Structure formats: C-alpha cells, structure tokens
Amino acid sequence: RKEVEQDPGPFNVPEGATVAFNCTYSNSASQSFFWYRQDCRKEPKLLMSVYSSGNEDGRFTAQLNRASQYISLLIRDSKLSDSATYLCVVSPLFSGGYNKLIFGAGTRLAVHP
Amino acid sequence: DADVTQTPRNRITKTGKRIMLECSQTKGHDRMYWYRQDPGLGLRLIYYSFDVKDINKGEISDGYSVSRQAQAKFSLSLESAIPNQTALYFCATSDPGTSYEQYFGPGTRLTVT
C-alpha cells in the first residue's frame, strides 16, 4: 500500500465549478501536510500547508481529518489557470534533523471553457 | 534567472553509460535533494545533503551516487545507466527552518535505451 494515495483523475470541470480532491495517508504518526501544484512538464511548487483547523487561501481551502487520515483540497470558482496536477504531501514525525516529504502521485485537474 | 537550475534538461543515453546530472542554486540554502518522478508514482527521494560534508541516502539510492561540490552545487551520477532509470529527475533545495517548502529545479528528462 502506498503511503500517500490520491485519485489520479483527471477531473474535467468547466470554468467556475467547484472541485474537491481527497488524499489518504497510511502513517498515523504523520505530523505535517501540504498541497503542491505541478504544471504539465514543470517542477512542483508549494501551494499551501494544511492545518488541523483547516486553512483557506483565496479560492483554495484545505482540510485535515486526522481520525480518518485524509486531507482534502477544495477549489472554488475554477479558472483555466488552475489546470495542473495537485500533489498531496505528508511529512512524518520529525527525526534525524530532516522533515522528510512523502509525495502522492498527484491528481490531475483539467478546467475547460 | 531561475533560483535552481539543472543541466542537462533532456538526455538520452545508452545502457551501461555513466551520466552526471548537475544542479546549481542561488537561494543560499544549505539543504539540497535529488528526486525522481515516474508516471503513477510520487516523487521519490534518491539522496539528500544538509551541507557539503553531510550526504545521506534516500529511499531509492541504489545505482546512484552524488557529490556536493559546494553549498550551491549538488550532482547526481548514474554509474552504469539502466533502462529502469528512465525518469524525470528533480533537484530541490530548502532552508533548514522551513524544510517542508522545497524549491525545485525545472527537471531533467533522462531516457536510457
């Protein structure tokens, strides 16, 4: 079983739609959670951190459910420029002076006119 | 100019050849990483380095070696390339205080025939 699992998609949605992605992780000791965005043939970039209380950044909302070990990302009012692959990233308990990042394989979003 | 650069961007090589991928950064970060990305799999860590004298194996280091020539330079070598090392390779950097936010280079697409 993969440590971080995501639905690969693609999610095909029209502009203006609301879309949500989920991600599950297997290590209950995981401490930190993030969403990265990766455009086609480009490098990943940090989109947002995910806090226990949830957090919002403009049209993007991230939620964490520790009991069920899943993370979600909600995108409201989708734009064409949101088309990308969204990587769920989990960091286990800090050890050895290094915050190891475990990446999911990503969920692809395609927003169409 | 990009903060993290990788050379070459694309490379086709034959089985058994030695190849080096190079990474340079101008962010002033001490921590550098090498990942590979394969379709359907998340980014997987090959090696990481906290400073010039500190190099550590990641989860898939077999068949690879690295060299940290300076704070700003981190090279990945494939001593004898094999076809299953065909992948997209990313270099990344981070600041010790926020190591969950990693800054990636543009990637090197390597094909081993």
Side-chain angles (χ1 to χ4, degrees):
Chain A
R1 184 184 172 190
K2 293 179 182 178
E3 290 189 74
V4 179
E5 300 221 41
Q6 297 183 249
D7 180 341
F11 285 63
N12 294 300
V13 302
E15 277 185 289
T18 295
V19 61
F21 311 134
N22 287 334
C23 158
T24 58
Y25 60 94
S26 60
N27 185 350
S28 60
S30 296
Q31 292 293 305
S32 305
F33 310 89
F34 313 95
W35 285 100
Y36 273 67
R37 170 190 168 131
Q38 185 173 21
D39 292 337
C40 187
R41 299 192 184 91
K42 300 280 191 178
E43 70 274 20
K45 294 183 180 179
L46 179 66
L47 177 66
M48 61 196 304
S49 301
V50 187
Y51 305 123
S52 296
S53 55
N55 55 307
E56 188 172 314
D57 183 2
R59 298 181 293 108
F60 297 82
T61 300
Q63 298 277 356
L64 168 65
N65 185 319
R66 284 188 185 272
S68 301
Q69 294 181 210
Y70 80 79
I71 305 146
S72 65
L73 178 67
L74 181 78
I75 305 175
R76 291 181 299 277
D77 189 22
S78 298
K79 312 291 184 192
L80 294 175
S81 58
D82 293 334
S83 297
T85 296
Y86 291 84
L87 310 179
C88 177
V89 182
V90 172
S91 183
L93 186 65
F94 183 86
S95 65
Y98 166 52
N99 290 93
K100 178 182 177 182
L101 298 185
I102 301 170
F103 288 81
T107 296
R108 192 155 68 88
L109 171 66
V111 181
H112 57 82
Chain B
D1 288 340
D3 294 321
V4 184
T5 57
Q6 293 182 232
T7 56
R9 295 293 312 280
N10 290 282
R11 181 72 182 267
I12 300 173
T13 192
K14 292 181 186 274
T15 298
K17 293 291 187 183
R18 183 179 190 275
I19 183 168
M20 179 181 288
L21 309 184
E22 300 189 346
C23 176
S24 294
Q25 53 113 348
T26 58
K27 298 192 74 67
H29 290 163
D30 289 326
R31 298 186 173 192
M32 298 188 74
Y33 313 82
W34 274 104
Y35 291 91
R36 66 177 279 176
Q37 187 175 38
D38 299 274
L41 298 177
L43 286 153
R44 291 182 292 167
L45 184 65
I46 306 172
Y47 270 96
Y48 62 101
S49 170
F50 286 172
D51 63 39
V52 175
K53 297 179 182 178
D54 182 10
I55 293 181
N56 306 277
K57 292 183 177 180
E59 60 181 303
I60 54 163
S61 59
D62 286 349
Y64 302 95
S65 62
V66 291
S67 173
R68 186 82 183 265
Q69 301 95 322
Q71 187 209 34
K73 295 184 183 297
F74 193 34
S75 301
L76 176 72
S77 293
L78 287 68
E79 297 301 325
S80 180
I82 56 177
N84 78 359
Q85 290 178 313
T86 293
L88 183 56
Y89 290 84
F90 286 105
C91 172
T93 75
S94 70
D95 183 278
T98 54
S99 58
Y100 60 83
E101 182 167 13
Q102 296 187 6
Y103 297 84
F104 287 81
T108 295
R109 187 165 297 278
L110 176 67
T111 302
V112 183
T113 62

